[in-house]
Amino acid sequence: MEADGSNSDKLRNIELKAKIADEDAFAHRVSIAKQLTGTDGVVIVQKDVFFKASQGRLKLRYLTEKKSELISYDRPDVAGPKLSLYSKLDVDQPELLEQILAETVGVRGTVAKKRLLFLAGQTRIHLDVVEGLGHFLEFEVVLTPDQTIEDGQTVVAEMKRLFEIADEDLMSGAYIDKLVPA
């Protein structure tokens, strides 16, 4: 990886994840997202099966009966905006792939969530209700090849301000880390 965080074979984004205190605070953030984007968002039901990876994280994301993705990603487990490097592969036979990976590398755990997705420019706004964990908000600023990490951090900082996210609400790690500690 180069000093600017670029890696020619990986996609890049800057992410920020925060815990939302309760349903009222969550509804307030949904309202902000609707105002910002002029849409009602898209509801996505996801099941992520995480596998025991030797580096980074590896998950099989079940999206619909006809679409699933295998996603590998690596990002620091720190609170605040962070660079995530990732690769995705569309999967036609997710059950078979899950079986193969479970038999060879093992399953770490599963995360089930209902996601409300909003798009604001290059930012994916995720308002998540995660089974067993509660309510969360996540920003993913998808970087173009010519953008720097700092460009993405600037966008995330503005989103954090707009959505009234306090530093003490920021999360490190992934949902799976909260459900199944390493």
Side-chain angles (χ1 to χ4, degrees):
M1 182 173 18
E2 297 174 24
D4 66 355
S6 65
N7 188 325
S8 60
D9 61 341
K10 296 281 187 179
L11 300 168
R12 304 176 308 143
N13 65 29
I14 301 296
E15 297 183 12
L16 181 91
K17 190 176 295 192
K19 175 85 170 122
I20 304 298
D22 55 36
E23 286 187 31
D24 289 339
F26 186 79
H28 176 63
R29 285 0 183 271
V30 170
S31 173
I32 293 170
K34 286 180 177 183
Q35 277 189 317
L36 179 67
T37 64
T39 72
D40 289 333
V42 175
V43 175
I44 304 170
V45 177
Q46 295 178 338
K47 179 179 96 168
D48 292 341
V49 179
F50 282 80
F51 300 95
K52 295 176 182 174
S54 59
Q55 182 177 344
R57 293 184 179 88
L58 179 65
K59 65 184 172 186
L60 176 60
R61 173 166 286 164
Y62 287 87
L63 293 166
T64 65
E65 291 176 17
K66 296 183 181 179
K67 183 177 182 204
S68 295
E69 300 171 326
L70 184 66
I71 304 167
S72 72
Y73 65 101
D74 198 8
R75 69 170 184 242
D77 288 333
V78 297
K82 54 199 143 284
L83 176 67
S84 177
L85 298 173
Y86 63 101
S87 298
K88 293 192 307 185
L89 175 69
D90 289 338
V91 175
D92 294 334
Q93 296 177 297
E95 294 86 3
L96 178 58
L97 181 58
E98 180 181 350
Q99 176 189 332
I100 292 168
L101 289 171
E103 291 171 353
T104 57
V105 298
V107 173
R108 181 169 175 211
T110 300
V111 174
K113 65 181 170 270
K114 181 176 170 184
R115 170 167 282 175
L116 192 51
L117 168 66
F118 294 90
L119 300 175
Q122 71 189 98
T123 305
R124 297 172 56 88
I125 302 163
H126 302 156
L127 287 147
D128 294 338
V129 179
V130 182
E131 285 183 23
L133 288 182
H135 299 82
F136 298 86
L137 179 139
E138 180 180 59
F139 303 121
E140 291 181 351
V141 178
V142 180
L143 298 175
T144 61
D146 61 323
Q147 284 184 299
T148 66
I149 293 169
E150 292 76 20
D151 292 337
Q153 289 172 331
T154 299
V155 175
V156 166
E158 177 62 9
M159 287 291 178
K160 182 181 172 222
R161 184 190 69 76
L162 288 172
F163 282 84
E164 305 165 10
I165 302 299
D167 286 344
E168 56 266 19
D169 297 326
L170 298 180
M171 273 184 64
S172 62
Y175 299 139
I176 191 68
D177 302 330
K178 306 296 182 205
L179 289 169
V180 183

